Amino acid sequence: MNRHRVGCAVALATLWSTGAVAQQPGDAEVRIRQLEATVQQLMREIDTLKAALPAQPAAGAAPAADAAEEPSSEARRAQRLERRRVDDIQFDVQETRERVDAMQSRLDAQVPNARLENGLVIEDSRGRWALRVTGRAQMDYRSYDNDAVADTFGIRRARIGAGLTMGKFGALIETELTFGAVGGNNPTTVPQGSPTNAVLHQAYVDFNPFDALRFRLGQFKPAFGMENTMSTWAHDFQERSLAFGLMQNFLFDRGLMISGAPTPYTTYALSITNGTGQNVDEVQSSAANARVDGKDYIGRVTANFASLLDQPDWVLHGAANYRTGRIANNSNSGTADTLGANGYVGAAGVTESRGLVFFAPSPFNANPAVSGDVIDRTIWGLETAIAYRSVKLQGEYFRATYAGNRLSPGQPAFEPGIDAGYIAANWLITGEQF
């Protein structure tokens, strides 16, 4: 009986301490969980007391008592005390439940919280939804020794976006107000300061049932390559490497991506996209375009072996990337960045400071009036990053191939390729860890 009395006292003491905490602001969800735990504790106490009630007469009776003998007065008194204790605890349970319901109602009526965290975040007080408004601008100044390119102040990117998260669902829409030359365009021919490059940057919806399985539909950045996948916030240098030029205008595309992290040290991403680039549906300017409406298939797998080996001071990253797709080989086969007067053109090379085009491949179709055979475009790449605390060695290698047939003159087959890569060594002299 002392055991039950002590248990009841503990439960009531917990209830009292919870009521005191309830007066502190900002801990509503914690207080609700504490109250719910108190209810569970009281219910367990009730079950224990109810289980003990039938055993009380036998425990208080004399060993030789007859089975039909009436319980003694002391046994009946003990039973009444136990039943009264059960009634008291049941009352406490009901009162605690009412307090939980009242607190949840107050939470529902509260004004959403707002904070600054990678943008302006406005979220429900119970965490059921969150709205994030973002905006950033990257400005620079470029100076060239070559008088063929003008020195200029520039706005590299200016983005405004809004994202919404509701449980396992999410959505993002973002516009990029880019002024001046972008991508692989030649700044010597594209007017600087032109606002005509304002575009829809991203627009997609997410469904994230598990960490190992996530779905994204819309216009987004397919996972391919380390520099390409990283945000510009995380780049070690002011510019991406020359290998990035192999992406042409396919940095963003429209389609579906399935991704996830099946283990704490591995990730994967599989995408199917139009293969036409940002803000472009499948091209249908000719019958050849309509026939060759195949999609790009993109895959990426990564592993951080330092996590597997439980080495928090290290990064031992490795990844493999692959993408393939088909495109019509005529003068209307793609977006502005990939067209030449005579058909599809492979990736060009531009200096890292967005200066001169130093490598411009010839178009694959020598006759602009005749549609050539389709181009099978394939890009694969390997990457690694090895870091110990504030020191890092990083590198990537890519190979792009373009296979097809020319219709003029004749039908000679071709399969030119472009190789590109880089190795970078970094040291954060301020001591931060990669």
Side-chain angles (χ1 to χ4, degrees):
M1 188 175 299
N2 290 336
R3 174 173 56 83
H4 302 322
R5 187 176 296 112
V6 171
C8 184
V10 170
L12 292 176
T14 304
L15 178 63
W16 176 259
S17 64
T18 304
V21 174
Q23 303 303 319
Q24 301 178 6
D27 297 325
E29 290 288 347
V30 175
R31 296 200 299 272
I32 287 178
R33 287 194 294 270
Q34 290 174 337
L35 289 172
E36 290 174 343
T38 300
V39 170
Q40 295 298 324
Q41 183 177 353
L42 292 173
M43 293 299 295
R44 288 192 296 270
E45 183 70 18
I46 289 174
D47 293 339
T48 302
L49 292 173
K50 285 182 176 180
L53 282 176
Q56 288 297 331
D66 186 81
E69 184 180 348
E70 290 290 330
S72 65
S73 59
E74 185 173 342
R76 289 194 297 271
R77 187 181 305 111
Q79 290 179 9
R80 287 195 298 271
L81 288 175
E82 294 295 341
R83 290 192 179 95
R84 188 178 305 162
R85 187 172 293 114
V86 170
D87 293 340
D88 290 343
I89 295 178
Q90 286 178 330
F91 175 80
D92 292 334
V93 169
Q94 182 61 31
E95 186 180 46
T96 304
R97 284 175 173 166
E98 291 175 356
R99 293 177 61 188
V100 170
D101 292 340
M103 190 168 296
Q104 288 177 337
S105 298
R106 288 197 299 272
L107 281 175
D108 292 338
Q110 284 183 1
V111 176
N113 301 319
R115 69 179 189 277
L116 293 176
E117 182 180 341
N118 294 327
L120 174 62
V121 180
I122 303 173
E123 62 182 354
D124 174 54
S125 57
R126 299 189 62 185
R128 294 172 300 185
W129 58 267
L131 175 67
R132 184 187 304 272
V133 180
T134 61
R136 61 175 168 138
Q138 180 181 350
M139 295 158 284
D140 58 20
Y141 175 78
R142 299 189 294 276
S143 178
Y144 305 94
D145 293 335
N146 191 331
D147 291 336
V149 184
D151 301 342
T152 181
F153 290 97
I155 297 179
R156 178 63 54 86
R157 54 181 56 86
R159 297 175 181 171
I160 300 175
L164 177 66
T165 302
M166 297 184 66
K168 298 182 182 297
F169 294 89
L172 173 72
I173 184 169
E174 184 180 51
T175 182
E176 177 150 26
L177 310 173
T178 308
F179 295 84
V182 296
N185 295 333
N186 188 343
T188 61
T189 59
V190 176
Q192 299 295 298
S194 169
T196 58
N197 293 316
V199 296
L200 175 67
H201 189 55
Q202 298 186 87
Y204 58 77
V205 293
D206 284 339
F207 175 53
N208 307 316
F210 317 103
D211 288 341
L213 183 62
R214 301 176 178 178
F215 300 89
R216 175 166 294 179
L217 177 66
Q219 179 167 294
F220 54 87
K221 180 192 293 187
F224 185 89
M226 184 159 39
E227 279 192 318
N228 182 41
T229 305
M230 294 167 58
S231 169
T232 53
W233 294 102
H235 286 173
D236 298 316
F237 298 97
Q238 184 175 358
E239 301 286 347
R240 290 184 173 98
S241 68
L242 294 178
F244 179 74
L246 294 182
M247 300 302 104
Q248 293 181 282
N249 66 318
F250 311 119
L251 178 60
F252 291 88
D253 211 337
R254 294 177 176 176
L256 170 69
M257 180 167 68
I258 301 174
S259 62
T263 70
Y265 51 88
T266 58
T267 68
Y268 74 93
L270 302 171
S271 304
I272 176 172
T273 66
N274 284 336
T276 51
Q278 190 176 44
N279 294 320
V280 180
D281 291 338
E282 284 287 358
V283 181
Q284 301 184 53
S285 57
S286 68
N289 294 144
R291 286 194 300 269
V292 186
D293 59 355
K295 301 296 181 281
D296 269 21
Y297 300 93
I298 308 163
R300 172 177 168 82
V301 291
T302 76
N304 181 13
F305 298 99
S307 297
L308 176 63
L309 301 174
D310 193 22
Q311 297 293 324
D313 291 335
W314 284 85
V315 174
L316 300 174
H317 166 85
N321 307 271
Y322 183 83
R323 71 179 298 158
T324 185
R326 310 189 80 188
I327 189 168
N329 181 24
N330 65 2
S331 58
N332 293 314
S333 58
T335 63
D337 278 359
T338 62
L339 286 180
N342 299 317
Y344 182 84
V345 179
V350 184
T351 57
E352 290 181 317
S353 58
R354 294 193 173 191
L356 296 173
V357 176
F358 65 88
F359 172 71
S362 301
F364 293 134
N365 184 17
N367 187 348
V370 180
S371 175
D373 196 7
V374 296
I375 300 293
D376 291 317
R377 179 183 58 216
T378 301
I379 308 174
W380 61 267
L382 300 173
E383 65 187 66
T384 187
I386 301 173
Y388 178 71
R389 294 185 177 177
S390 58
V391 178
K392 181 177 70 169
L393 183 67
Q394 173 179 313
E396 294 185 84
Y397 170 79
F398 295 98
R399 177 167 179 80
T401 58
Y402 309 88
N405 293 293
R406 285 192 184 91
L407 295 186
S408 176
Q411 292 186 339
F414 60 87
E415 191 175 358
I418 305 176
D419 297 87
Y422 71 91
I423 296 177
N426 301 273
W427 173 38
L428 295 175
I429 60 175
T430 51
E432 291 91 343
Q433 187 166 324
F434 282 107

